Amino acid sequence: MRGAPEAGWPRGLLVAVATVAAATALLRSPLGEWGLDTMLRADGEPPASTAAFTAAAWLMAAAAGVRAAVPGGGPPGRAEASTAAIAVTTALALLAPLTLLAAGPDLTSFGGFLRGVLALELAVVAGGLAGLVCVRRAVPGPVVLAAALFLLLALGARAVVIGVFEPVPLIDPAGQVTERALDALRGQERWLPVASGAAALLATAGCALAIGRAPVPLLLMAAAPTLVRAAGALLGALWAGTPVLTAGTAAEWFYPALGAAAGTLTGLTRARARRPAPAPRSRAGHDPAR
């Protein structure tokens, strides 16, 4: 693809838009906000987990789009990588405020809208730069794919858990939280981290198999869920404030990290098992096939 920088960016843009569309659909579904976030929401601001997941989704969309625009098979030209990064990030930067305005969570103040736009624009820029670094450092595409898959699978698993433990109604006629709602919230708090861990395991296992035994990409893949969650929390805090940084439990960090490590080791083990055996040699040490 060297010498044809315009050839790859439409594919990258398609991947970026598809990633952010899927994440937005999951976040805006009736199951996209869990009951505790709804109860803790104040002053019309978006709930903490929604802000963190939304920021992470736009970051991963940009990173995956830039990396997909320049596939492997040789070092890309500097112009090719830069063209892909500019095209993908510019499109997402223009799309972010429109999406936030049309489907953003509980935008009741202009200041909150501006903070949301700032958070998403910074997420797009950070994701584009991360994708560009991956391209120029020849980080395999499956590493970025694993991070994006983790986010989407975690959102899907989150929606399932919320559906199983749906805390409705939250408030009784006397204005008190119902016992049923409290039980449902405890169930969500117990199973949401486990679901995220399972998402991390599934996302990394297959992608690690595609990478093989390359140590640095495997380490990056094992760390990808934690990095995605941390980036989403930091960027989401610009939007919804410090509750984004304090709302989660230690289990919500531990299980995805454990799942990613287990998935990476699983993929590595399977890659070693599939490695072809060396060809037999003659007693003189020469390959008989020659």
Side-chain angles (χ1 to χ4, degrees):
M1 288 179 59
R2 188 186 296 272
E6 70 281 1
W9 68 261
R11 176 180 53 250
L13 185 57
L14 180 62
V15 169
V17 172
T19 301
V20 80
T24 301
L26 289 169
L27 283 165
R28 294 305 302 164
S29 70
L31 306 179
E33 298 175 8
W34 64 308
L36 187 58
D37 273 337
T38 302
M39 293 167 61
L40 295 179
R41 187 187 297 117
D43 300 326
E45 297 299 333
S49 65
T50 301
F53 276 120
T54 303
W58 285 83
L59 184 145
M60 282 315 309
V66 172
R67 187 61 187 86
V70 189
R78 195 170 284 270
E80 180 181 6
S82 299
T83 299
I86 292 172
V88 171
T89 55
T90 299
L92 289 181
L94 294 174
L95 189 61
L98 299 177
T99 304
L100 193 62
L101 187 63
D106 302 304
L107 295 172
T108 58
S109 69
F110 185 65
F113 173 73
L114 289 181
R115 288 195 302 275
V117 170
L118 175 62
L120 296 193
E121 299 291 1
L122 288 176
V124 168
V125 172
L129 290 175
L132 191 58
V133 169
C134 289
V135 168
R136 291 184 174 174
R137 297 295 181 182
V139 174
V143 174
V144 182
L145 176 62
L149 280 177
F150 160 70
L151 179 66
L152 295 179
L153 289 174
L155 287 174
R158 180 172 175 260
V160 171
V161 171
I162 292 168
V164 172
F165 298 97
E166 186 176 2
V168 176
L170 287 172
I171 308 297
D172 61 20
Q176 302 296 317
V177 179
T178 64
E179 190 65 28
R180 178 188 170 192
L182 289 175
D183 290 340
L185 292 173
R186 294 188 190 103
Q188 289 181 9
E189 186 176 2
R190 181 170 61 252
W191 286 105
L192 279 172
V194 177
S196 293
L201 190 152
L202 292 174
T204 55
C207 293
L209 179 61
I211 288 177
R213 298 187 300 161
V216 173
L218 287 173
L219 289 174
L220 287 174
M221 180 174 294
T226 301
L227 294 175
V228 170
R229 181 174 176 81
L234 290 173
L235 291 165
L238 297 176
W239 181 4
T242 55
V244 176
L245 302 175
T246 58
T249 63
E252 294 178 23
W253 294 87
F254 173 74
Y255 279 99
L258 180 64
T264 302
L265 288 176
T266 300
L268 176 61
T269 302
R270 288 180 61 84
R272 285 179 173 174
R274 289 176 54 180
R275 185 177 57 179
R281 293 180 177 273
S282 66
R283 290 184 179 181
H286 298 291
D287 190 343
R290 292 186 176 179

